[in-house]
Amino acid sequence: MKFSTLPLSNEMVSTLAKLGYKDMTPIQAQALPFILKNQDILAQAKTGSGKTAAFGIGLLHNLDVKKFRVQSLVLCPTRELANQVAKELRSIAKFQHNIKILMLTGGESFGKQLGSLAHQAHIIVGTPGRVLKHLNKESLNLSNLNTLVFDEADRMLDMGFIEEIEAVLEYVPKERQTLLFSATYDDTILDISKKIQNNAVFVRTTQSEVANEIQEKFYATSNKVDTLVNVLATYRPKNAIIFTNTKLQAKELAQDLVEKKIDALAIHGDLEQYERNDVIVQFANASTPILVATDVAARGLDIKELSMVINYDLPHAQETYTHRIGRTGRAGAKGMAITLYESYEEEKVEQYNTQDREFLDTSSLSKTGVFELKPEYVTLVIEGGKKDKLRAGDILGALTGDAGLAGKSIGKIDIYDRQAYVAIERDLIDDAHKQLKNTKIKNKKFTVWVL
Ligand code: ADP
Ligand code: MG
């Protein structure tokens, strides 16, 4: 579909053509008709699908250039992403003279931003922490805001920005258009949509959602540990939860795996609450790829983007099986569920033998002998949290500013009352640790250590 089918100005359409945008991408074709009608949308589409232009065209189309007030705010999780968005908006904005787009992100001089703000702007692209700081200091006024955009909302929530976002919302008019863009779609995103949007239209381009898409495979084995390692070596999941039936087995299996250089942590009923929390945080932020769990301990665990569930032990009931494997293949992603069983369990496993499940021989698995599984991130613990008024933006600011890390090297940030956990790319952990130890966050030094 051509952009010319939309009620856009000729200038806008020809500017888009100059950028090489003739046809709309699928997300643009689906979202723009609603966006141009001022409706709220919750959009999900994979990266590189043209989401920026989808909201960019919408907010630029609605802009009143003569009115020199901030009319749109785009919130992004990191400075780098804000930069990309601002760049794309500026190219599209060429269709009209004098559109002012201003970036407000952490890691840049606050004073300079104050100066730019004094000259007013039409569109602000920023990160939640810095935008909030300007709102608190009254250097930014959003009382004329028409459109609020959350780009990569899922990542913003992952980075712990929920408090900043809620605080920003206090400063924006209730009557507004709110556009939410996310690569993933789950309960957290739905909750936030319900909170901040009004009758949002759900737009997605990845088909066949909702129903989980899980491949289920069963392997008969006489050596479960070996088969488990071969399963991991064959399918190379990004992460996996392995279920055992007892606490002791969970503990022992995690140890066995670590000895085999497969990074794993166990979660079971014998852990203290704080230990349990450390484990969950590390698994959820990709600081450990494998979690070995009992059913009770895994209850209520909501891990996004879980690639694989492995039943190391056959569950006692089919219901438990369904519950276990339902943790993978969420949000339209493909999931895989592997079940191991021994020959004496053949009768018990028969009840699972349906058409859509595969029963396989272990000979089809690769036997690498050497196989290492390392995490993507390592978790840094900061001995300060909500009680110290630490916010994700402060931590991100310290890491990307003084400590010199790129926003993309920082993963999930979880902030609790007295502690904060930050996932840092594995290779950068020593640097980040050293730097952060010597850096003040909110004018205070905190104890920092590697989990
Ligand atoms: P997303 O935010 O969905 O990851 P982007 O908005 O960054 O994706 O867009 C990815 C690329 O596609 C950019 O280089 C952008 O310039 C280009 N692009 C966007 N819309 C179109 C279009 N209609 N036709 C061709 N290229 C487009
Ligand atoms: Mg994008």
Side-chain angles (χ1 to χ4, degrees):
M1 270 240 280
K2 305 247 173 274
F3 282 105
S4 51
T5 59
L6 295 173
L8 298 171
S9 69
N10 291 336
E11 290 79 9
M12 168 86 88
V13 174
S14 70
T15 303
L16 292 170
K18 273 184 210 144
L19 292 172
Y21 301 4
K22 282 194 209 95
D23 294 307
M24 290 186 260
T25 65
I27 189 71
Q28 290 162 359
Q30 285 192 48
L32 271 166
F34 295 112
I35 295 178
L36 294 176
K37 276 188 216 135
N38 270 314
Q39 281 182 271
D40 285 2
I41 64 156
L42 165 54
Q44 188 204 357
K46 59 182 196 305
T47 36
S49 55
K51 293 192 282 292
T52 322
F55 63 76
I57 291 168
L59 52 87
L60 287 163
H61 173 81
N62 285 335
L63 193 79
D64 179 356
V65 187
K66 286 192 236 82
K67 184 171 151 190
F68 224 12
R69 292 281 178 273
V70 176
Q71 296 165 46
S72 308
L73 169 66
V74 183
L75 290 176
C76 303
T78 64
R79 173 165 41 153
E80 292 89 343
L81 285 163
N83 214 338
Q84 280 174 30
V85 168
K87 216 169 128 196
E88 173 95 359
L89 292 185
R90 286 192 178 115
S91 345
I92 302 171
K94 288 199 186 105
F95 77 98
Q96 194 170 8
H97 287 299
N98 297 328
I99 298 181
K100 267 201 72 182
I101 299 170
L102 183 64
M103 261 191 39
L104 296 177
T105 64
E108 313 251 320
S109 149
F110 191 77
K112 238 187 185 168
Q113 291 175 351
L114 285 179
S116 308
L117 277 166
H119 291 101
Q120 279 292 348
H122 294 109
I123 298 170
I124 303 282
V125 183
T127 47
R130 184 54 66 95
V131 165
L132 182 60
K133 200 165 165 186
H134 282 290
L135 287 167
N136 286 336
K137 294 228 182 313
E138 294 181 4
S139 41
L140 174 64
N141 181 328
L142 294 179
S143 56
N144 288 285
L145 195 82
N146 298 319
T147 311
L148 177 57
V149 182
F150 294 88
D151 193 20
E152 309 219 2
D154 47 348
R155 175 127 168 89
M156 262 191 288
L157 296 176
D158 275 353
M159 294 185 86
F161 276 131
I162 185 69
E163 281 186 41
E164 277 95 337
I165 288 171
E166 280 173 355
V168 168
L169 286 168
E170 299 285 311
Y171 289 92
V172 300
K174 293 234 155 34
E175 281 283 314
R176 62 166 195 264
Q177 181 182 33
T178 310
L179 309 175
L180 204 68
F181 288 80
S182 170
T184 57
Y185 169 74
D186 56 20
D187 289 348
T188 342
I189 287 293
L190 270 185
D191 282 351
I192 188 101
S193 162
K194 273 191 212 126
K195 245 192 218 167
I196 68 177
Q197 296 190 291
N198 221 328
N199 294 320
V201 181
F202 181 33
V203 187
R204 77 188 339 163
T205 52
T206 37
Q207 295 302 308
S208 77
E209 288 298 323
V210 188
N212 290 0
E213 206 185 315
I214 306 172
Q215 281 186 50
E216 299 172 59
K217 299 179 193 286
F218 288 69
Y219 289 95
T221 172
S222 52
N223 184 332
K224 290 210 254 183
V225 179
D226 282 355
T227 303
L228 174 62
V229 174
N230 292 338
V231 161
L232 294 172
T234 304
Y235 298 109
R236 312 247 161 172
K238 252 184 87 177
N239 58 6
I241 295 187
I242 303 176
F243 283 100
T244 62
N245 288 346
T246 69
K247 296 186 230 180
L248 186 65
Q249 263 178 320
K251 239 185 279 188
E252 287 180 354
L253 182 57
Q255 275 167 14
D256 285 350
L257 289 173
V258 169
E259 271 163 33
K260 290 179 186 297
K261 292 200 169 20
I262 294 173
D263 197 76
L265 288 173
I267 187 159
H268 49 75
D270 286 349
L271 296 181
E272 299 286 343
Q273 184 57 40
Y274 78 92
E275 294 173 304
R276 189 186 142 82
N277 198 44
D278 282 357
V279 171
I280 293 174
V281 164
Q282 287 180 90
F283 186 63
N285 75 10
S287 292
T288 191
I290 305 284
L291 185 66
V292 188
T294 56
D295 292 298
V296 179
R299 202 166 283 162
L301 255 185
D302 185 26
I303 307 292
K304 274 193 227 172
E305 299 178 52
L306 181 64
S307 353
M308 185 179 268
V309 167
I310 300 175
N311 293 304
Y312 184 78
D313 289 326
L314 209 55
H316 295 304
Q318 286 223 34
E319 243 173 57
T320 313
Y321 176 87
T322 312
H323 202 158
R324 284 181 181 179
I325 74 162
R327 294 164 182 281
T328 180
R330 290 190 180 183
K334 282 204 172 70
M336 195 180 274
I338 305 277
T339 304
L340 309 182
Y341 66 97
E342 298 192 61
S343 54
Y344 70 87
E345 294 174 302
E346 248 157 42
E347 227 168 283
K348 210 173 145 198
V349 89
E350 201 37 52
Q351 59 180 319
Y352 293 98
N353 200 346
T354 58
Q355 219 181 357
D356 43 354
R357 294 181 174 131
E358 282 182 276
F359 280 70
L360 298 157
D361 204 276
T362 51
S363 61
S364 60
L365 296 170
S366 61
K367 295 168 197 64
T368 59
V370 255
F371 169 65
E372 288 187 18
L373 195 55
K374 291 218 176 92
E376 194 178 343
Y377 295 99
V378 176
T379 301
L380 210 57
V381 184
I382 300 168
E383 291 290 346
K386 289 185 185 158
K387 292 249 151 62
D388 307 278
K389 303 229 170 355
L390 269 195
R391 285 184 157 153
D394 305 321
I395 297 171
L396 205 63
L399 283 165
T400 56
D402 298 342
L405 259 74
K408 67 170 175 43
S409 311
I410 301 162
K412 207 165 178 277
I413 299 179
D414 295 283
I415 304 183
Y416 294 86
D417 280 352
R418 303 195 179 281
Q419 278 186 321
Y421 299 80
V422 190
I424 309 275
E425 261 178 30
R426 187 155 47 100
D427 295 340
L428 302 172
I429 187 69
D430 291 338
D431 281 351
H433 181 209
K434 222 183 287 163
Q435 299 282 357
L436 205 57
K437 260 199 312 204
N438 300 317
T439 301
K440 286 189 178 165
I441 313 173
K442 277 215 150 154
N443 288 322
K444 215 179 130 184
K445 272 205 182 157
F446 290 94
T447 306
V448 182
W449 48 281
V450 178
L451 194 62

